[in-house]
Amino acid sequence: MPSPPSQPIWLLRLGDQLDPQAPELTTADPSRTAVWMAEARGEAEHVPSHRARIALFISAMRHLRDTLRDRGWTVQYWTLDDPDARAELADRLEADLRAGQPDELRVSQPGDHRVLTAVQRACEQTGVRCTVEDDPHFIDSVSDFQAWARGRKSLRLEHYYRALRKRTGILMTDGEPAGGQWNFDADNREAFGRHGPGPVPAPAAFPPDPTTRTVLTTVEQHFPDHPGALEAFDWPVTPHDAEQALDDFIEHRLPRFGRYQDAMWLGQPHLFHSRIAAALNLKLLDPRTVIARAEAAWQDGHAPLASVEGFIRQILGWREYVRGIYHARMPAYAEQNALAAHAELPGFYWSGETRMVCLKETVTQTLTYGYAHHIQRLMVTGLYALLLGVRPQAVHEWYLSVYVDAVEWVELPNTLGMSQFADGGLLASKPYAATGQYIARMSNYCAHCPYNPKVRTGDDACPFTTLYWDFLLRNETRLRPIPRMKMQLRNLERLQEEERTAIRMAAERLGASRGEGILR
């Protein structure tokens, strides 16, 4: 059993705080400061985490541990295999605080409100001062976001994004947005057309090193029944890996990213996406570095402004924005259910076993890699759950479970707010509701599917299309006050009662089969 550190100050490093160059590590005195880290089963089991997600976090943690020890730091580190390991991180921390009695425990703002509460309780129980510091791996601070939000009737991303652009000077020229526009959606988000994406450069490969191979074995032993595969594990686990992944994206995929960021294609899980969200969220990459590299690619003529702006908006805009929402509105935010959705999550979300090709492709890909790009998450798995009326907390738990980049601060608002509209419109100005024809337009999935996205009812009707109209029928009263829903509700008014009844009956059959689409 490791002995508690003797230093009077302990730095708690969580599984998503793994930058060896973090200011708190580069400025602290190792003779007075120790680092405390622990692998805890409870962090993998409070939702049934994908095994690749567990492996990524633990491997990156062990690489940081080794780096810090090589620098001369005292690192108290608990592995899953230690005889006195505890299932819950806070239990292990409390026991060590009680034994070591440091003067202070310092921790950067955790990305999970549950973890913050548990850490603070451990310190209270042991009489150790707990200092929660703002995480420097974001461009905006929690307090600055709250200052921006104070007194506003609407907390729209676009307003916040523009404010950050002005404050930072990113993509600004003489006080005006580069290119004369704040966003370039009109130039982005195209479909591939019937010939597909053409040659797609494979992302940089990161074969498991000895540390990661040991972790993969450990995860197999400890979590044999958890979802997901490990055979395709290929994720950056160090800052050096993460920099290589960024280099690869900037060089090979950023130029076409914006144009095709919402397109989907069978057998192409990555397309022109960056695959760096996990590295950003574990703090293996700093967002300032990522943004600077993307902006330089535009300035150098390597990538068009439309593509670069679309990419930077995801980081400077959406990533900072949802973090601000999370810390401002938790814990109550997690319980919201504005559309009174209570259906169970369909079983195929854990198996991929469904006849609907778009869902089969996305879920199978997710279980294989722990990855799906943002439009697959929003407009395939998220859309189906929204239309079916799944309880939003169940959808949230699934997303948190299966994606390797999932940390609650970013995943929860994206799921409850943007995907499921459970916050009643705090994040999104309308529900992201669409028929199967959206998927047909943006992919080749429907060409290989037994269902017809143009048909609302009948044996060949697409479940997305059936459920879209049922979603409008179920929520008509709730949706009336939303300005951007007026056109969709006018279309609903044109349906005759006979067709409304047929839609309700078809939706009931889908609901009875938990959305499987197999009872028709």
Side-chain angles (χ1 to χ4, degrees):
M1 172 181 173
S3 299
S6 60
Q7 287 86 341
I9 301 171
W10 292 6
L11 294 180
L12 169 59
R13 306 310 289 171
L14 298 168
D16 63 337
Q17 299 173 346
L18 304 179
D19 177 9
Q21 301 301 326
E24 53 270 39
L25 289 171
T26 56
T27 60
D29 179 1
S31 69
R32 291 182 44 79
T33 310
V35 174
W36 191 94
M37 303 175 72
E39 301 166 10
R41 290 189 65 90
E43 293 306 300
E45 293 179 335
H46 77 279
V47 294
S49 290
H50 193 298
R51 290 186 293 171
R53 180 174 183 262
I54 303 170
L56 172 62
F57 276 72
I58 293 179
S59 178
M61 288 172 67
R62 292 188 184 186
H63 279 88
L64 175 64
R65 172 200 64 189
D66 296 344
T67 296
L68 294 179
R69 284 177 175 170
D70 288 344
R71 291 182 186 171
W73 279 87
T74 298
V75 182
Q76 170 88 333
Y77 190 98
W78 293 89
T79 72
L80 291 171
D81 294 317
D82 284 324
D84 203 31
R86 303 285 180 91
E88 298 301 326
L89 181 143
D91 290 346
R92 183 63 268 165
L93 177 61
E94 181 178 336
D96 283 2
L97 290 174
R98 201 176 298 282
Q101 281 299 302
D103 297 331
E104 180 184 14
L105 179 79
R106 296 178 184 171
V107 60
S108 288
Q109 180 80 48
D112 188 317
H113 186 270
R114 170 188 57 85
V115 172
L116 172 61
T117 302
V119 168
Q120 290 175 324
R121 185 181 301 117
C123 289
E124 290 171 4
Q125 293 293 326
T126 56
V128 173
R129 183 168 72 254
C130 182
T131 301
V132 180
E133 301 172 328
D134 204 43
D135 192 326
H137 296 87
F138 293 91
I139 293 162
D140 207 15
S141 68
V142 171
S143 59
D144 283 345
F145 178 88
Q146 292 174 342
W148 171 83
R150 194 171 296 119
R152 291 177 178 268
K153 293 182 180 179
S154 172
L155 301 182
R156 287 287 174 255
L157 164 69
E158 186 65 26
H159 302 148
Y160 179 65
Y161 174 55
R162 293 185 186 190
L164 281 186
R165 290 266 298 272
K166 292 174 183 177
R167 189 199 308 172
T168 61
I170 293 168
L171 289 181
M172 300 291 290
T173 304
D174 298 327
E176 297 296 324
Q181 299 173 218
W182 288 106
N183 72 63
F184 290 82
D185 282 351
D187 301 303
N188 290 339
R189 301 176 175 175
E190 294 183 22
F192 291 127
R194 61 190 181 91
H195 296 296
V200 177
F206 300 97
D209 64 8
T211 297
T212 301
R213 290 198 295 271
T214 299
V215 169
L216 294 175
T217 299
T218 298
V219 171
E220 289 276 18
Q221 293 171 345
H222 283 268
F223 305 100
D225 298 324
H226 275 232
L230 289 173
E231 290 78 9
F233 187 92
D234 183 28
W235 292 99
V237 293
T238 67
H240 176 71
D241 288 350
E243 288 280 356
Q244 286 187 305
L246 174 61
D247 291 345
D248 177 73
F249 167 66
I250 297 291
E251 178 65 25
H252 298 294
R253 286 183 298 286
L254 176 60
R256 299 180 73 188
F257 165 78
R259 184 178 180 185
Y260 296 120
Q261 64 179 296
D262 285 3
M264 300 172 281
W265 202 257
L266 281 169
Q268 292 285 358
H270 302 118
L271 291 168
F272 302 103
H273 295 268
S274 67
R275 211 175 72 130
I276 62 169
L280 277 167
N281 293 348
L282 270 63
K283 318 301 163 45
L284 303 177
L285 272 178
D286 189 284
R288 297 166 187 83
T289 301
V290 176
I291 290 169
R293 291 289 310 282
E295 190 169 17
W298 163 60
Q299 292 168 338
D300 294 344
H302 175 66
L305 177 58
S307 190
V308 169
E309 187 280 321
F311 176 67
I312 286 178
R313 184 160 14 114
Q314 291 190 346
I315 299 172
L316 179 65
W318 196 254
R319 187 171 184 270
E320 297 284 330
Y321 171 71
V322 296
R323 178 179 182 252
I325 293 289
Y326 179 84
H327 287 298
R329 297 301 179 105
M330 284 294 285
Y333 190 86
E335 301 305 319
Q336 295 189 87
N337 190 355
L339 297 180
H342 298 290
E344 294 183 38
L345 188 73
F348 66 73
Y349 274 70
W350 299 104
S351 68
E353 296 176 2
T354 174
R355 295 175 66 201
M356 291 175 278
V357 169
C358 59
L359 280 160
K360 183 181 183 67
E361 175 79 0
T362 301
V363 173
T364 300
Q365 170 190 314
T366 295
L367 295 174
T368 300
Y369 301 107
Y371 172 83
H373 66 72
H374 72 271
I375 207 66
Q376 292 175 306
R377 301 189 200 193
L378 178 63
M379 298 305 293
V380 179
T381 53
L383 174 60
Y384 196 77
L386 171 71
L387 300 180
L388 188 62
V390 175
R391 184 174 61 88
Q393 287 70 30
V395 186
H396 149 59
E397 290 169 3
W398 184 78
Y399 277 98
L400 188 61
S401 296
V402 299
Y403 290 114
V404 299
D405 55 37
V407 182
E408 193 177 80
W409 66 264
V410 64
E411 175 277 323
L412 179 63
N414 270 303
T415 303
L416 262 66
M418 189 177 188
S419 173
Q420 302 302 297
F421 205 72
D423 64 8
L426 178 67
L427 266 71
S429 57
K430 74 178 187 69
Y432 277 84
T435 69
Q437 292 191 74
Y438 173 86
I439 297 170
R441 184 168 67 253
M442 298 307 298
S443 76
N444 67 337
Y445 295 161
C446 299
H448 302 270
C449 187
Y451 300 114
N452 186 341
K454 297 179 181 179
V455 177
R456 290 191 280 254
T457 59
D459 290 341
D460 65 340
C462 173
F464 279 86
T465 302
T466 302
L467 292 171
Y468 167 80
W469 291 102
D470 185 66
F471 172 82
L472 296 182
L473 289 169
R474 290 197 319 269
N475 293 291
E476 185 173 3
T477 301
R478 297 185 183 94
L479 300 176
R480 282 286 173 202
I482 300 174
R484 292 187 64 199
M485 291 300 297
K486 286 182 179 179
M487 181 180 295
Q488 290 168 293
L489 293 177
R490 280 200 297 269
N491 291 333
L492 179 68
E493 290 169 359
R494 297 189 181 101
L495 294 185
Q496 299 298 314
E497 189 58 38
E498 181 180 352
E499 188 158 17
R500 289 172 178 243
T501 300
I503 289 168
R504 289 191 180 101
M505 292 178 63
E508 285 177 9
R509 289 194 293 272
L510 284 167
S513 66
R514 296 182 62 192
E516 304 281 352
I518 58 175
L519 300 183
R520 315 171 12 154

